[in-house]
């Protein structure tokens, strides 16, 4: 698996959706579990710009190759979220994409700023921060594309297979960048390997956790991977990450699945109740309405006033 940043810059583009049979979205049914996963995935794809804001204040961004990658990557991820949202809307689930994104962000609260500050400070204190960040990037991209593959399998929905199949191709390229960059950083660098392993064992969480609650993360993991094939896929994922220098035998995604099973063992309603109750709407938060955080405060008569001022 090789990666050329020059080629990536040349070829990076908006997801090509030509030929997707959008008219057939309602022809095949989706389960509550499928719908739960699609909302989760859409929210996390749409969260990428905020994730990027955490990275751009770190020492990792002194590297122009990394910032060139991030510029293209961020644009590509935008269209993943947009198209999953379009799919859900066409399936008949009504929401305004911009309101939903704003609500998800408004729920982040003060811990988002704390996390941004600690990532920034940590990166400048830790010389090998890039090794950790790049490895986490590789895990995130690989678990995302593995999750999309599992959802294609679970749902059996032909249009979703087509859409997610195209997104998976983008995620593979993203994974190739992160994996190769992490490998480069870690090769013959024992100190970085030790730091990387230490951090992954202690601070790593599955993609989406933080934006989503532990129970939501577990609901997705158990729906997609709590069978023989799913478990094998997660073990294979860990094995791939374990090929990075210093990470042999590391257990991350499989460990997250076993921890989710344990929580469900203690409380049988855990996770599945979110899917049963169709809890995927995101309500506006009580304390910070989106009108205070976005330009969407203009509603009805207000928007006319704004236009007049302009
Ligand atoms: Fe994506
Ligand atoms: Fe990606």
């Amino acid at each position: 698996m090789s990666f050329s940043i020059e080629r990536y810059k040349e070829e990076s583009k908006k997801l090509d959706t030509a030929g997707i049979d959008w008219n057939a979205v309602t022809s095949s049914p989706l389960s509550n579990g499928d719908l739960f996963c699609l909302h989760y995935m859409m929210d996390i794809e749409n969260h990428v710009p905020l994730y990027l804001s955490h990275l751009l204040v770190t020492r990792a961004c002194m590297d122009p190759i990394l910032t060139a990658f991030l510029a293209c990557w961020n644009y590509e991820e935008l269209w993943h979220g947009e198209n999953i949202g379009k799919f859900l809307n066409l399936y008949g689930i009504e929401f305004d994409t911009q309101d939903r994104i704003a609500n998800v962000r408004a729920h982040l609260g003060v811990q988002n700023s704390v996390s941004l500050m600690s990532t920034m400070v940590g990166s400048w204190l830790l010389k090998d921060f890039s090794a950790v960040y790049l490895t986490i990037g590789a895990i995130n991209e690989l678990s995302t594309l593995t999750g999309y593959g599992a959802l294609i399998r679970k749902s059996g929905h032909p249009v979703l297979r087509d859409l997610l199949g195209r997104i998976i191709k983008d995620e593979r390229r993203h994974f190739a960048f992160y994996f190769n960059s992490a490998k480069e950083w870690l090769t013959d660098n024992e100190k970085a390997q030790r730091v990387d392993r230490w951090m992954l064992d202690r601070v790593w969480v599955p993609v989406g956790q933080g934006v989503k609650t532990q129970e939501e993360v577990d609901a997705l993991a158990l729906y997609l991977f709590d069978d023989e094939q799913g478990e094998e896929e997660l073990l294979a994922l860990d094995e791939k990450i374990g090929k990075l220098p210093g990470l042999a035998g590391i257990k991350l995604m499989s460990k997250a699945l076993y921890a989710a099973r344990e929580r469900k063992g203690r409380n049988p309603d855990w996770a599945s109740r979110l899917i049963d109750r169709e809890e995927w709407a995101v309500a506006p938060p009580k304390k910070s309405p989106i009108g205070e955080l976005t330009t969407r405060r203009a509603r009805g008569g207000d928007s006319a006033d704004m236009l007049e001022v302009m």
Side-chain angles (χ1 to χ4, degrees):
M1 181 180 52
S2 62
F3 186 90
S4 155
I5 188 67
E6 291 309 321
R7 202 170 142 205
Y8 179 63
K9 283 192 308 199
E10 291 294 336
E11 294 180 358
S12 172
K13 60 178 179 1
K14 169 182 171 179
L15 187 77
D16 180 6
T17 55
I20 289 184
D21 192 1
W22 295 109
N23 292 325
V25 168
T26 49
S27 305
S28 311
L30 291 166
S31 71
N32 273 0
D34 300 331
L35 291 170
F36 178 88
C37 293
L38 281 169
H39 282 86
Y40 183 115
M41 291 159 162
M42 171 181 68
D43 289 341
I44 302 311
E45 293 282 7
N46 286 332
H47 188 68
V48 163
L50 264 77
Y51 182 61
L52 180 64
S53 72
H54 282 55
L55 299 175
L56 290 176
V57 295
T58 67
R59 73 154 73 214
C61 286
M62 293 298 105
D63 180 351
I65 291 178
L66 180 67
T67 45
F69 171 79
L70 291 177
C72 304
W73 165 83
N74 184 42
Y75 181 69
E76 291 180 359
E77 300 290 10
L78 171 83
W79 295 103
H80 299 172
E82 291 276 332
N83 280 291
I84 294 174
K86 177 177 176 178
F87 179 93
L88 284 169
N89 285 157
L90 288 172
Y91 189 74
I93 296 174
E94 285 176 25
F95 58 86
D96 178 284
T97 300
Q98 307 313 323
D99 279 352
R100 186 176 175 98
I101 295 173
N103 282 333
V104 169
R105 291 180 187 175
H107 275 289
L108 295 171
V110 74
Q111 84 242 39
N112 181 57
S113 309
V114 173
S115 159
L116 191 147
M117 293 292 285
S118 52
T119 309
M120 178 175 75
V121 173
S123 84
W124 289 100
L125 293 175
L126 201 62
K127 210 169 142 248
D128 287 306
F129 170 83
S130 291
V132 181
Y133 156 63
L134 293 167
T135 308
I136 289 177
I139 301 164
N140 284 353
E141 297 291 348
L142 189 56
S143 47
T144 300
L145 75 90
T146 307
Y148 285 144
L151 185 54
I152 288 173
R153 174 165 60 86
K154 289 272 174 192
S155 71
H157 193 294
V159 184
L160 195 57
R161 176 185 299 120
D162 189 4
L163 172 63
L164 296 183
R166 296 174 193 223
I167 294 178
I168 284 173
K169 284 186 190 153
D170 278 356
E171 311 294 17
R172 278 216 185 94
R173 283 202 304 278
H174 302 164
F175 168 67
F177 168 80
Y178 282 121
F179 188 87
N180 287 325
S181 307
K183 193 173 172 188
E184 233 169 74
W185 195 286
L186 291 164
T187 300
D188 300 326
N189 187 347
E190 267 182 48
K191 193 167 147 272
Q193 293 174 20
R194 274 200 305 276
V195 169
D196 198 18
R197 188 156 197 140
W198 193 92
M199 294 288 281
L200 289 171
D201 281 337
R202 282 157 190 84
V203 305
W204 174 84
V205 289
V207 61
Q209 192 159 337
V211 181
K212 299 289 179 183
T213 64
Q214 182 70 67
E215 189 170 9
E216 288 171 317
V217 175
D218 287 354
L220 181 106
L222 292 168
Y223 181 72
L224 292 179
F225 298 113
D226 194 19
D227 56 19
E228 204 177 317
Q229 187 174 345
E231 188 175 342
E232 270 172 25
E233 283 170 1
L234 295 190
L235 287 165
L237 189 160
D238 284 345
E239 209 179 304
K240 228 178 234 180
I241 297 301
K243 292 201 168 109
L244 285 171
L247 297 187
I250 197 158
K251 293 280 177 277
L252 297 163
M253 284 302 291
S254 58
K255 199 168 83 179
L257 174 66
Y258 302 148
R261 277 182 187 164
E262 252 181 63
R263 283 185 283 272
K264 188 151 185 72
R266 286 197 297 273
N267 176 3
D269 274 350
W270 180 258
S272 54
R273 63 187 169 190
L274 301 184
I275 292 175
D276 294 342
R277 290 183 208 146
E278 303 187 2
E279 286 192 21
W280 46 71
V282 179
K286 288 187 188 94
K287 280 191 182 162
S288 53
I290 58 169
E292 288 174 18
L293 298 169
T294 70
T295 52
R296 296 171 73 77
R297 64 167 61 91
R299 291 277 189 258
D302 290 355
S303 55
D305 292 348
M306 273 180 75
L307 286 171
E308 265 174 41
V309 171
M310 287 168 77

